[in-house]
Amino acid sequence: MPLLAHAGDAGHASRCEAIEHARNYLAKMEPSIEGQHGSNRLIKAASVLVNDFSLTDGEAFDLLMVEFNPRCEPPWPENLISRKSDEAKKNPPSRPA
């Protein structure tokens, strides 16, 4: 069962809110399109989920697969989504303090 299905089971309203905000953010993002810096868009999407919304690896992966990937041309294989999420987590964007 996907991790997102368990997010509300433990009664963590703030966790559910973070996932919903992340879902809404992804819906507004441009999809990843081959030949148009698609890899950069996937990394940005993953980075926002793990670094800004503080989602777990599983939550981020599930959202990327369900909310972002279907709009991508072509859709990303699962192993590359996982790898890009790892890259985003290991190299968070630098932001002013």
Side-chain angles (χ1 to χ4, degrees):
M1 184 177 290
L3 291 173
L4 292 179
H6 297 292
D9 292 348
H12 301 297
S14 62
R15 194 92 202 127
C16 290
E17 288 174 6
I19 290 170
E20 189 59 31
H21 288 298
R23 180 179 281 119
N24 291 335
Y25 183 88
L26 285 179
K28 295 175 185 173
M29 285 191 75
E30 292 289 325
S32 176
I33 299 173
E34 187 173 26
Q36 297 180 13
H37 306 287
S39 182
N40 292 345
R41 288 186 182 154
L42 175 57
I43 289 174
K44 180 179 179 183
S47 179
V48 167
L49 297 181
V50 298
N51 296 308
D52 296 346
F53 288 103
S54 300
L55 299 185
T56 65
D57 293 345
E59 291 166 341
F61 178 81
D62 285 351
L63 280 178
L64 289 170
M65 287 299 297
V66 172
E67 303 294 335
F68 185 74
N69 201 38
R71 298 183 294 120
C72 297
E73 296 177 22
W76 290 87
E78 288 184 21
N79 66 322
L80 288 179
I81 288 180
S82 182
R83 190 171 79 199
K84 297 296 182 182
S85 292
D86 288 343
E87 287 177 32
K89 189 174 174 182
K90 291 176 186 172
N91 300 302
S94 58
R95 293 193 171 83

